């Protein structure tokens, strides 16, 4: 069997009854976390631009938009996929370096709504989609990640797997879906050099391309049978090093969705280890920011490649700057969504602190990455006293988890100005296995409920 066939067989045979209670509960938390991020990002300029474009192009009202109203399945997937990634609070998987929720869930949600499917079916499909994209991401990481945005590339496979499961494709059809998904896998990191909006297009198109690949497979549209390991396939073309064993290792045992991490800070996940360390130091010791002589960050190489930015020129680019995020956390005592604003961007205190932040690669953290996303921070004061902190696992990782109450609180903070009854909506999502998806949609993602912020 090809690797694509192995994954297709797994997805085909996975049943809701096979899921352990912890799998079901965790998947619902992923859906809750995705919805909060999507609503928080629904009014952001790149999302509105995409919505305006799709309104110009038109579409049958089959699936709901987090921006309000309905459009075609494809349009809903595009808008919802973009919206859930823009505020930098969507979930993340360490070893595959993928934000699965932002590509898998919009695809699954639109199909489940349009086809009148149950919450149980959607939960199962999402768990399957996470499994597929995480395994492919693990196989090509970390070398793939230097040029390619794993969420966009590997996430396309996850969206295809989830939709294929919901459409009840057989293993042959699923393999075709994955084959065509792989040929559409794209997303280059160059956008980060400008702080461009392209990142939202990555997740929108990954979700859309995966959905299209699965729907076409249902219509007998064939795809490459060896899209992963073939001599012109994904591994050969897009990774200097690939470990094919990651695709099958432990497959069918514990679901990988349990390895998912949730973000507490509203910035790139690679900034979180240093932010956590800064907060530990700030909360444990009494000193003023004016007393700081230097802030030294030691961490893994990817942090420098993605977030070593001593100067920022926009709120969005500030979220990809370890210097800014560390300075913000030191000054404000947090790095929440509301902390990233024009005032903090222009703050002279933060700019002075940023100039004192030095980010260096450290052999210990580099060797542990991507299984561990760690850092240490040393804060030295003008009087010579220094304080330090270390972490291997940022808050929200399975090793340092955010519990259900914390994630419900996060959801309410993100949607307080978007939803009429945030707590009620959260409670409904956490009972999703008891209802059909259209019933959930009609009570949550509807113009009446989310119109307050539009």
């Amino acid at each position: 069997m090809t690797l694509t066939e192995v994954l297709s067989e797994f997805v085909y045979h996975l049943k809701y009854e096979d899921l352990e209670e912890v799998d079901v509960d965790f998947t619902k938390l992923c859906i809750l976390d995705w919805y909060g991020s999507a609503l928080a990002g629904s009014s952001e300029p790149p999302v509105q631009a995409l919505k305006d474009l799709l309104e110009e192009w038109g579409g049958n009202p089959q699936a709901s938009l987090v921006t309000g109203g309905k459009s075609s399945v494809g349009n809903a997937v595009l808008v919802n996929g973009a919206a859930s990634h823009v505020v930098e609070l969507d979930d993340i998987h360490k070893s595959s370096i993928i934000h699965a929720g932002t590509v898998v869930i919009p695809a699954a949600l639109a199909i489940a709504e349009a086809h009148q499917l149950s919450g149980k079916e959607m939960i199962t499909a999402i768990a399957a989609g996470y499994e597929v994209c995480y395994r492919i991401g693990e196989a090509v990481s970390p070398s793939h990640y230097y040029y390619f945005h794993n969420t966009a590339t590997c996430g396309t496979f996850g969206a295809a797997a989830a939709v294929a499961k919901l459409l009840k494709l057989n293993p042959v059809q699923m393999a075709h879906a994955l084959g065509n998904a792989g040929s559409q896998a794209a997303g280059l990191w160059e956008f980060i050099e400008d702080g461009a909006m392209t990142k939202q297009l990555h997740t929108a198109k990954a979700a859309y391309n995966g959905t299209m690949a699965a729907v076409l497979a249902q219509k007998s549209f064939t795809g490459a049978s060896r899209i992963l390991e073939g001599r012109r396939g994904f591994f050969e073309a897009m990774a200097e090093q690939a470990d094919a064993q990651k695709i099958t290792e432990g497959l069918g045992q514990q679901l990988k969705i349990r390895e998912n991490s949730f973000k507490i800070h509203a910035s790139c996940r690679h900034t979180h280890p240093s932010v956590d360390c800064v907060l530990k130091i700030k909360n444990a010791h009494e000193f003023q920011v004016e007393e700081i002589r230097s802030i030294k960050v030691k961490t893994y190489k990817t942090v420098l490649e993605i977030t070593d930015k001593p100067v920022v020129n926009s709120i969005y680019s500030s979220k990809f700057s370890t210097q800014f995020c560390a300075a913000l956390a030191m000054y404000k005592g947090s790095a929440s969504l509301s902390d990233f604003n024009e005032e903090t961007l222009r703050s002279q205190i933060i700019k002075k602190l940023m100039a004192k932040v030095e980010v260096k690669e450290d052999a210990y953290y580099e060797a542990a990455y991507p299984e561990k996303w760690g850092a240490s921070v040393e804060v030295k004061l003008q009087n010579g006293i220094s304080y330090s902190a270390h972490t291997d696992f940022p808050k929200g990782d399975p090793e340092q988890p955010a519990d259900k109450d914390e994630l419900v609180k996060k959801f309410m903070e993100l949607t307080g100005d978007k939803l009429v009854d945030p707590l009620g909506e959260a409670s409904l999502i956490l009972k999703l296995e008891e209802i059909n998806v259209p019933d959930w949609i009609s009570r949550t993602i509807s113009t009446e409920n989310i119109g307050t912020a539009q």
Side-chain angles (χ1 to χ4, degrees), residues 169-192:
L169 302 192
N170 62 42
V172 173
Q173 293 172 312
M174 286 188 181
H176 289 315
L178 294 178
N180 283 316
S183 278
Q184 299 178 87
L188 295 168
W189 270 112
E190 184 62 23
F191 76 86
I192 204 168

Side-chain angles (χ1 to χ4, degrees), residues 62-64 70 108-117 437-438 441 445:
Q62 300 168 297
S64 299
K70 285 191 173 186
L109 178 63
I111 291 293
E113 180 185 6
H115 290 263
Q116 305 284 303
L117 302 179
V437 172
I441 296 297
I445 305 179

